[in-house]
Amino acid sequence: MFEKLHTFDGHTGCVTDVALSDFYAVTGSSDKTAKIWCLSDGSLTATLEGHKSRVIAVDICTDHVATASDDGVIKLWSVVDGTLKTTVAVAKDAVRFLCLSAHYFVTGGHWQKDDSGKEVNVWSLSGDLKASCYDAKTTRQLRALCISHSQDMIVTARLTTIQVWVNPKPPNGQPGEGSWSWRVKFRMKGHASPIVEMCCSGFLLVSCSGQAGFRVWSLSDGTEKMAAQAITGVSHGGNINMLGLASGYNLIAPSVGKKRLGVWPLAGMVDPSGEVAVSLGKLQIPAQHEWSVSEAAALDARGHHVVVASGNSASVWVTEPGRRRMDSESLGVPLQFLLGEWGEYARGTTQLEDPGFRDLKNALWTGPSPQHFRGSDSQLCPRDLRPGCSIVDVLHKTSGASRATHFMSWSWDYKVSVLLSALRRWENQGTGDHGQTSLWICFFVNNQYRILLEKAAMGSDDLGSVFAARLQACGRVLVLLDKLKDPVYVKRVWCVFETYQATRLKVPLQVILPEEAYSSLKADLRGGRLDEVTKSLTEVNVEDAIAWSKDDEVRIKQEIRETIGYEQVNGAVKAFLSTWVVDCFHHILTDSLEPDTQGAEAAATMEPSSEGGQISVLKRDLATCRTELREAREELVSKGKEIAQLKAKVLLLHHEPVPEETRSELLPVGSPLTAIRQLKEEQHESSDSEASSHEIGVEATTTPSAAACK
């Protein structure tokens, strides 16, 4: 059963194509734009503008969105913020089909009389043409194109024949690794009329022709597993021209004649060798839940979401399992539970006075006698209905865990006491209703049975899009620093990456400290050691940062290296932490100041031997800095005016127009000709005036930049 989740409104033209991932939907439109939408709340995250013709195809994979317009232009964008990454221009009508993989994208076009458009081209994500899939034995018109992501296969259909292309060593994103050579593994025949659509999932391929018939194939051996000329449970009255296939083997097949869309269970069993047995079930969705469609529909990889285009909008529908999964993954651990029960539970479970979270990992999941938080090993996970669930799933039943309001950036290397002390200080600040606060903390929210024990999910898969979705859904980030001198935080690649992503997405960040670190910070700042604290915190080098999982470390660094680069990440995180230290200096100073009853002179001469004396010295130094900064700004403004006037004189000497605001100061009386004559006389008085003018022009362009850098 499906229920309506969101409606995506915003296009001014017909929606021409749609695509889905676990966290986002993408729509392309005849209004020459594409849009990225967040599945969790239906919000618009980015509008992709730049095409000069209607967008005819879209796709999404990992952290990229691909769009193609009918003038032959393909663009790749960042899922995270909609930044344009790559543009490729080919011939008009050379792109009709577009498929995106994690490390390449594939295009195919309409067949042309001059044989152009026959090729299926493989491109790197940087936009370089790397290979062409051209089968000399099957040179007919290209009818459909898809990619099997799990098997790394490219599948093409030409009239009634299907070709499956394989690469023994496909590119994997690592420089110099992998090849760009695909060859035909299978040619599969069986359709009596031209193929109009195909889709892949795992070892299964579904293809359909125009007479409401479809066939199911095994990609492991190329054999046909099922054929049907009609789909049980619905009268089409038209042709099938859209398909979707998910890992649960749910099939979507629209009827163009009645413009309706249905979903059928396609039961499938796949053994380790890839052997497939399938059968088609009855229509799952009652008539009142069939959808009116125009041109596009898509099913996500799990079969949990369907997005359907109709007119200028699109709607997303979710199954009951999909709803359970979304709700579970969005939960946060209640702040009151952490401050009330977690400390005692952690000590009792580990038998340690001050346990760390790695101690708890062993005690709960990976040790010789795992304790299993409140019987979580036997409770069904709402995300996959298998035994073994996350801590927040247990809390949702027993302690009322609700949707996360904050994302916690932290390290598993911390002690439990560090987390609780920082959260207690934060709660005591009294900002907001902390009774309703829930924190998205990976230790509690992720299903560690799947990650730690089954190795079924890598934490860094779809890195950028996963974090973007989680950060945007929570809306606020807490950065937990363990200490200020030689902090663990800046040495962990996850922590640095999370902080960078939050600053990039403009998600508000707040640093929280345990009591001991805060007391140390106050002492350092009052002692005039601001530079020392700043230096310690900003020794950030993400290239040297580590992760507990080596695979995670490699994936994160690869993501950074292939997108924004180490330097940009380091710079953004350093800038954030530096600003935070300065803000702390201001707040600590402000909070510590008491009414000054002795006057400015007494404050200026007070010895810094006492705390009050130290505060007065800091206050005096701050006032001095402000005065010096104000004087420097005034001097810069004055120099800028002088430079502008000198530039104006140079322009007059060369008969160039002078800005009006400068002309009034330079020529208060008389005519421009008089001024020019006067300037030429001045020119003869100085033999090197021309060189000086040139130097002035250089100085005028460099001085403001140098001042800004300071």
Side-chain angles (χ1 to χ4, degrees):
M1 182 70 68
F2 281 75
E3 61 175 295
K4 191 172 184 179
L5 190 61
H6 307 296
T7 297
F8 301 142
D9 292 315
H11 285 291
T12 58
C14 180
V15 175
T16 56
D17 198 16
V18 294
L20 276 174
S21 71
D22 286 346
F23 300 99
Y24 295 98
V26 182
T27 55
S29 170
S30 60
D31 64 9
K32 305 178 185 178
T33 71
K35 295 180 182 291
I36 304 175
W37 311 83
C38 181
L39 278 183
S40 63
D41 59 10
S43 62
L44 175 66
T45 65
T47 296
L48 311 180
E49 298 177 315
H51 285 289
K52 297 181 179 179
S53 186
R54 71 187 184 108
V55 175
I56 58 173
V58 299
D59 201 4
I60 182 171
C61 183
T62 60
D63 297 335
H64 292 88
V65 168
T67 60
S69 54
D70 60 6
D71 58 357
V73 175
I74 307 115
K75 293 180 180 289
L76 262 62
W77 318 75
S78 166
V79 171
V80 175
D81 57 7
T83 303
L84 179 63
K85 298 296 184 181
T86 306
T87 298
V88 176
V90 295
K92 184 178 180 181
D93 290 329
V95 179
R96 174 61 184 89
F97 305 100
L98 174 66
C99 294
L100 180 62
S101 179
H103 305 298
Y104 56 87
F105 64 96
V106 186
T107 61
H110 289 297
W111 177 81
Q112 305 294 317
K113 291 183 179 179
D114 61 358
D115 277 354
S116 64
K118 283 186 177 181
E119 295 84 359
V120 172
N121 292 323
V122 184
W123 310 76
S124 69
L125 295 184
S126 59
D128 299 321
L129 178 59
K130 292 294 188 178
S132 293
C133 299
Y134 183 72
D135 183 8
K137 295 184 179 180
T138 311
T139 60
R140 308 298 295 274
Q141 180 182 2
L142 182 67
R143 302 294 304 222
L145 172 68
C146 63
I147 291 178
S148 172
H149 296 282
S150 62
Q151 306 307 309
D152 221 327
M153 295 175 174
I154 298 173
V155 186
T156 59
R158 297 182 182 275
L159 288 186
T160 60
T161 302
I162 298 169
Q163 304 91 19
V164 178
W165 302 77
V166 295
N167 186 341
K169 192 177 180 182
N172 60 7
Q174 296 289 349
E177 294 190 12
S179 68
W180 296 91
S181 177
W182 274 262
R183 60 178 178 81
V184 175
K185 182 178 182 181
F186 305 123
R187 294 182 183 88
M188 301 180 293
K189 298 181 179 181
H191 283 284
S193 58
I195 296 167
V196 296
E197 184 65 286
M198 296 189 304
C199 54
C200 299
S201 180
F203 285 97
L204 283 183
L205 169 73
V206 176
S207 59
C208 73
S209 58
Q211 278 101 35
F214 68 92
R215 294 173 184 270
V216 181
W217 312 81
S218 167
L219 291 177
S220 62
D221 57 13
T223 58
E224 183 179 306
K225 294 300 178 181
M226 191 179 76
Q229 292 303 315
I231 296 179
T232 305
V234 68
S235 175
H236 282 280
N239 295 336
I240 295 176
N241 74 336
M242 283 173 274
L243 282 178
L245 187 63
S247 59
Y249 305 129
N250 290 317
L251 171 73
I252 67 172
S255 168
V256 176
K258 292 189 176 183
K259 295 194 174 182
R260 294 289 178 183
L261 186 67
V263 175
W264 289 261
L266 189 61
M269 296 297 293
V270 183
D271 65 24
S273 66
E275 181 62 25
V276 183
V278 296
S279 61
L280 187 67
K282 293 184 178 180
L283 179 67
Q284 277 190 328
I285 302 173
Q288 64 266 28
H289 285 291
E290 294 180 1
W291 303 286
S292 174
V293 299
S294 57
E295 293 293 335
L299 188 69
D300 73 354
R302 293 190 177 98
H304 289 167
H305 295 86
V306 173
V307 60
V308 183
S310 182
N312 293 359
S313 64
S315 57
V316 175
W317 299 69
V318 62
T319 62
E320 183 180 351
R323 169 66 79 177
R324 287 197 306 265
R325 183 182 185 92
M326 287 182 63
D327 291 345
S328 173
E329 291 179 339
S330 67
L331 291 174
V333 56
L335 176 63
Q336 298 308 315
F337 164 78
L338 291 171
L339 297 181
E341 302 177 43
W342 182 247
E344 182 177 350
Y345 175 85
R347 288 188 292 272
T349 301
T350 61
Q351 298 297 304
L352 297 173
E353 182 61 30
D354 189 14
F357 279 88
R358 299 213 182 277
D359 299 320
L360 279 163
K361 174 181 74 72
N362 294 331
L364 291 173
W365 298 293
T366 62
S369 301
Q371 299 297 304
H372 305 297
F373 180 78
R374 295 181 182 175
S376 57
D377 60 323
S378 60
Q379 298 189 36
L380 294 182
C381 175
R383 307 170 197 183
D384 57 15
L385 297 183
R386 294 169 51 209
C389 67
S390 69
I391 292 177
V392 292
D393 288 325
V394 176
L395 294 176
H396 183 56
K397 298 177 181 178
T398 60
S399 303
S402 58
R403 189 181 183 90
T405 59
H406 296 73
F407 180 96
M408 175 74 79
S409 180
W410 70 303
S411 169
W412 282 39
D413 289 326
Y414 292 172
K415 297 287 189 180
V416 171
S417 60
V418 169
L419 173 70
L420 299 186
S421 176
L423 290 176
R424 195 166 288 111
R425 276 201 66 258
W426 180 58
E427 182 193 39
N428 291 337
Q429 291 175 1
T431 56
D433 182 8
H434 288 309
Q436 302 300 317
T437 297
S438 292
L439 307 175
W440 201 103
I441 305 177
C442 55
F443 184 93
F444 299 91
V445 179
N446 287 338
N447 187 329
Q448 305 300 343
Y449 290 100
R450 308 292 180 264
I451 296 175
L452 296 176
L453 302 184
E454 300 179 11
K455 312 293 183 183
M458 294 303 299
S460 52
D461 285 346
D462 298 352
L463 190 61
S465 58
V466 168
F467 270 105
R470 286 173 181 165
L471 294 177
Q472 290 168 334
C474 294
R476 286 166 288 187
V477 177
L478 295 179
V479 174
L480 173 54
L481 295 180
D482 54 324
K483 52 187 177 180
L484 299 174
K485 296 179 181 178
D486 194 29
V488 170
Y489 188 91
V490 299
K491 299 178 181 179
R492 309 302 293 186
V493 69
W494 275 116
C495 298
V496 175
F497 186 78
E498 289 163 0
T499 301
Y500 168 74
Q501 285 286 54
T503 58
R504 179 186 181 190
L505 295 169
K506 297 181 173 58
V507 177
L509 295 101
Q510 183 177 359
V511 177
I512 61 174
L513 297 172
E515 192 62 48
E516 183 177 351
Y518 183 70
S519 299
S520 174
L521 175 63
K522 287 195 297 184
D524 286 335
L525 294 183
R526 287 171 175 170
R529 295 184 291 275
L530 175 62
D531 290 343
E532 182 180 334
V533 174
T534 305
K535 180 181 179 181
S536 178
L537 275 179
T538 55
E539 290 182 344
V540 178
N541 187 353
V542 68
E543 190 172 6
D544 294 334
I546 60 174
W548 174 77
S549 166
K550 190 63 179 179
D551 288 337
D552 281 3
E553 180 183 330
V554 170
R555 287 168 181 258
I556 296 172
K557 291 181 179 179
Q558 178 180 330
E559 165 77 13
I560 295 171
R561 189 171 55 247
E562 292 179 353
T563 54
I564 62 264
Y566 294 126
E567 185 175 348
Q568 186 168 338
V569 173
N570 291 339
V573 176
K574 287 178 182 179
F576 165 71
L577 293 174
S578 298
T579 302
W580 172 76
V581 171
V582 172
D583 288 342
C584 280
F585 176 80
H586 171 74
H587 289 302
I588 289 175
L589 180 62
T590 302
D591 293 343
S592 301
L593 287 177
E594 296 180 358
D596 187 359
T597 58
Q598 301 182 18
E601 182 176 350
T605 57
M606 185 178 293
E607 292 294 330
S609 57
S610 64
E611 184 176 9
Q614 293 175 357
I615 294 172
S616 297
V617 170
L618 290 174
K619 182 178 179 181
R620 181 186 61 200
D621 290 345
L622 184 59
T624 302
C625 290
R626 287 173 175 169
T627 301
E628 292 176 352
L629 180 59
R630 183 175 60 254
E631 291 174 351
R633 286 176 176 170
E634 291 173 353
E635 182 179 358
L636 183 60
V637 171
S638 176
K639 292 293 184 184
K641 289 182 178 179
E642 292 178 13
I643 291 168
Q645 291 184 11
L646 290 171
K647 276 192 167 183
K649 289 183 179 182
V650 174
L651 292 173
L652 282 172
L653 286 171
H654 292 84
H655 303 282
E656 297 289 340
V658 180
E660 188 62 35
E661 63 271 15
T662 307
R663 178 186 294 273
S664 60
E665 298 180 7
L666 183 64
L667 306 172
V669 293
S671 66
L673 292 176
T674 303
I676 292 172
R677 189 179 301 112
Q678 180 182 351
L679 288 171
K680 287 187 175 181
E681 291 174 357
E682 294 177 359
Q683 185 182 33
H684 289 296
E685 295 175 2
S686 176
S687 59
D688 59 346
S689 61
E690 184 177 355
S692 299
S693 298
H694 177 70
E695 292 172 4
I696 289 170
V698 174
E699 183 179 353
T701 59
T702 57
T703 301
S705 298
C709 290
K710 292 178 182 178

